[in-house]
Amino acid sequence: MKRRSFIKKTGLAAGGAIAVPYILPSGRLFAQSGSRMADHVILAMYGGGIRQQESILQRYLDDSQGLAIPGNIMINLFNGEQPEDKIVYGDDGFLPGDTPKPMVLNDTVQNMGTTFREMRATAAGHYNGFITMLLGNTNFSQALRERPLSPTIFEYLRRHAGEKASKVWFVGESIRNSIPLMNASSHRDYGIRYGANFFAPPTTFGTPGKNTFSQEKIFHPEEEMSHIYKMKYFLDDYYRNLGGFIHELGNDEDEKYHIKQFMQEQYDQEKSRDVISATKAILSEFKPTLLAFNLSSGVDACHGNFTQYLRGIHSGDNKVAQVWQHVQSIPEMAGNTIMIICPEHGRDLNPNPVFDQNDWYGFDHSDANTRRIFGQMIGKGIPAGLEVGDEANPIGLSADCCLTIADILGIKNEVRNVGHVRGDSQSLLDRI
């Protein structure tokens, strides 16, 4: 589809709604009190519920399926040899699974950064697990399909550090459930006007978007309003199904134009169809101060398909590594970026009764083992090869991600003083 055709058909040349649901203004509340450790932070929300046993402990099938077959399937994040038998964790379903992805990085994150071998997840559900990283608290009273009740790190950064909207991004896997609502809270002192730009590439540029924009014609504004409204509904669907469209736009025209042009180029060139390609494109184009992205869909298959869960873990390792490798190709970000990697929670110690195609049990997420997670940091100023914590002495909470980002970007005191983060939460930098 040509760019001009696309603009005419959608009627968005002036509004730029294909870009993102909204572009938000900047506005610093106070001068930040701290200095920055790095100018860019990436939060890899490695989700779906990842057991310690199959991730950092590298047990593969050893204590999950009664098979004495250990091995490391996260070859970019951790040191360790891959499994020698029952290789099923390969590519994303197109191959039989016996072809693992090759290593992306020249060395592991474990060697190049700091690894928290045993952290604790502060929530066990996917939504609460994810927003805990962004809020610094659990909000257990938080309902699904509603905005978080307390501010996100996106809002803290935009309000207290004066970051522009185009420098703060959240890239999600879908617009289902509450994913699009994680970019800003409903807090009266913060809220959408300080939120992050949200983008769900599989929806906008995937099959839903193609189906919506597939007709190669210019629509008559009086005779074919139904299809015009269909396209408008699709573009507004980030929020319409989740509590109403946002009216508080406050657009910065330069940012609005920049992002609109960027999105149109991605669409025209058939790029950014998935979270990782979109994340890399945003990094190259905007050099964001903060970008968070979530991965979860393949891993969450563990409820009923342990084989697909293993493939999701292995694929996620590859995707996170791609992002970090891409950062090194951006002159403004290479050597001036820190990436934080953290699952939202783990999974049960004991299996459920559901079997997959290999007669392997699935695992849910509700017991104490679900609270066991790992964490990693890599980048500017982060100690290389440092490992902290063990099962007997866990160090760090998933809620620490919020204060860690604030610490790196020089607003830790401001975020702490607002009073919404957990009292036991700390910056991971302080914990080491």
Side-chain angles (χ1 to χ4, degrees):
M1 184 183 295
K2 300 299 183 182
R3 180 182 301 178
R4 289 186 180 181
S5 173
F6 173 73
I7 294 173
K8 288 178 182 178
K9 284 189 294 179
T10 58
L12 298 172
I18 185 62
V20 283
Y22 48 82
I23 315 300
L24 300 170
S26 63
R28 177 178 296 184
L29 181 63
F30 305 108
Q32 65 189 71
S33 62
S35 59
R36 291 190 171 185
M37 182 174 175
D39 288 331
H40 308 276
V41 177
I42 299 170
L43 175 61
M45 303 163 74
Y46 195 153
I50 302 174
R51 293 209 324 157
Q52 287 287 85
Q53 286 79 1
E54 287 77 51
S55 56
I56 194 167
L57 298 182
Q58 303 180 19
R59 295 178 185 169
Y60 192 47
L61 302 173
D62 200 358
D63 62 1
S64 59
Q65 308 302 329
L67 300 171
I69 304 174
N72 176 27
I73 62 174
M74 300 173 73
I75 58 176
N76 291 284
L77 299 191
F78 304 124
N79 303 330
E81 297 298 321
Q82 297 188 57
E84 296 181 351
D85 196 10
K86 303 286 186 182
I87 310 301
V88 300
Y89 58 90
D91 220 315
D92 298 321
F94 298 103
L95 298 175
D98 59 359
T99 308
K101 294 176 179 294
M103 189 169 179
V104 173
L105 302 177
N106 293 329
D107 201 353
T108 63
V109 174
Q110 187 172 2
N111 284 339
M112 296 188 293
T114 293
T115 298
F116 294 80
R117 294 194 63 87
E118 282 277 346
M119 294 174 60
R120 289 294 176 260
T122 38
H126 298 301
Y127 176 54
N128 279 325
F130 279 135
I131 64 169
T132 291
M133 290 188 247
L134 300 174
L135 306 180
N137 67 60
T138 51
N139 270 10
F140 283 132
S141 61
Q142 174 73 50
L144 292 174
R145 301 175 73 85
E146 291 184 6
R147 291 200 173 278
L149 301 177
S150 57
T152 63
I153 185 58
F154 307 126
E155 296 158 84
Y156 288 132
L157 184 60
R158 296 209 51 226
R159 183 169 185 181
H160 295 287
E163 287 293 339
K164 298 175 64 175
S166 58
K167 291 295 185 180
V168 184
W169 289 81
F170 175 43
V171 185
E173 283 192 317
S174 72
I175 62 171
R176 295 175 302 186
N177 301 320
S178 304
I179 295 295
L181 301 181
M182 296 182 189
N183 68 326
S185 72
S186 60
H187 193 282
R188 64 181 183 181
D189 295 330
Y190 291 85
I192 199 68
R193 66 191 182 277
Y194 295 112
N197 288 306
F198 173 76
F199 181 32
T203 300
T204 302
F205 294 152
T207 300
K210 285 184 176 180
N211 291 341
T212 301
F213 301 119
S214 61
Q215 299 187 40
E216 293 289 335
K217 61 178 291 184
I218 299 174
F219 295 100
H220 191 284
E222 295 179 0
E223 299 174 3
E224 298 174 291
M225 286 298 293
S226 62
H227 195 82
I228 293 173
Y229 279 121
K230 177 185 176 184
M231 291 188 292
K232 182 180 185 300
Y233 183 91
F234 171 78
L235 295 170
D236 289 353
D237 195 38
Y238 285 94
Y239 293 97
R240 189 180 297 279
N241 287 340
L242 297 166
F245 191 71
I246 303 303
H247 297 288
E248 193 173 356
L249 299 178
N251 295 331
D252 176 308
E253 292 302 322
D254 289 339
E255 290 181 294
K256 180 178 178 180
Y257 180 79
H258 187 184
I259 296 177
K260 181 182 72 173
Q261 292 299 108
F262 166 75
M263 292 294 181
Q264 289 168 353
E265 289 173 3
Q266 299 303 303
Y267 192 95
D268 293 345
Q269 299 172 26
E270 297 192 349
K271 296 180 179 179
S272 301
R273 293 294 188 265
D274 58 74
V275 168
I276 299 307
S277 61
T279 294
K280 293 192 291 186
I282 291 168
L283 291 171
S284 293
E285 184 73 20
F286 297 98
K287 289 82 178 178
T289 302
L290 173 61
L291 182 146
F293 67 94
N294 84 298
L295 300 168
S296 62
S297 56
V299 176
D300 197 32
C302 192
H303 290 287
N305 193 316
F306 193 82
T307 301
Q308 188 58 42
Y309 158 76
L310 294 174
R311 291 176 180 173
I313 292 177
H314 180 65
S315 176
D317 167 86
N318 180 275
K319 291 172 181 177
V320 171
Q322 284 186 52
V323 171
W324 185 245
Q325 181 188 53
H326 186 70
V327 166
Q328 313 317 309
S329 70
I330 305 172
E332 297 89 340
M333 298 187 71
N336 197 16
T337 301
I338 293 173
M339 183 162 70
I340 302 166
I341 305 165
C342 187
E344 90 278 36
H345 58 68
R347 284 193 174 269
D348 288 353
L349 180 63
N350 298 311
N352 64 35
V354 181
F355 289 96
D356 68 8
Q357 67 269 32
N358 287 311
D359 291 330
W360 292 345
Y361 289 106
F363 288 78
D364 299 321
H365 44 84
S366 59
D367 67 10
N369 197 69
T370 300
R371 303 286 180 166
R372 297 179 65 187
I373 59 172
F374 66 88
Q376 291 184 300
M377 293 192 297
I378 184 173
K380 183 181 179 181
I382 300 300
L386 178 63
E387 298 184 24
V388 297
D390 55 37
E391 185 173 358
N393 180 36
I395 296 176
L397 304 169
S398 59
D400 291 346
C401 291
C402 179
L403 275 180
T404 305
I405 296 169
D407 194 3
I408 294 167
L409 296 175
I411 57 169
K412 181 178 67 173
N413 291 339
E414 287 82 352
V415 172
R416 174 68 81 185
N417 291 340
V418 169
H420 290 294
V421 298
R422 289 170 55 107
D424 59 349
S425 179
Q426 298 183 40
S427 166
L428 291 172
L429 296 168
D430 290 332
R431 292 194 186 274
I432 59 176

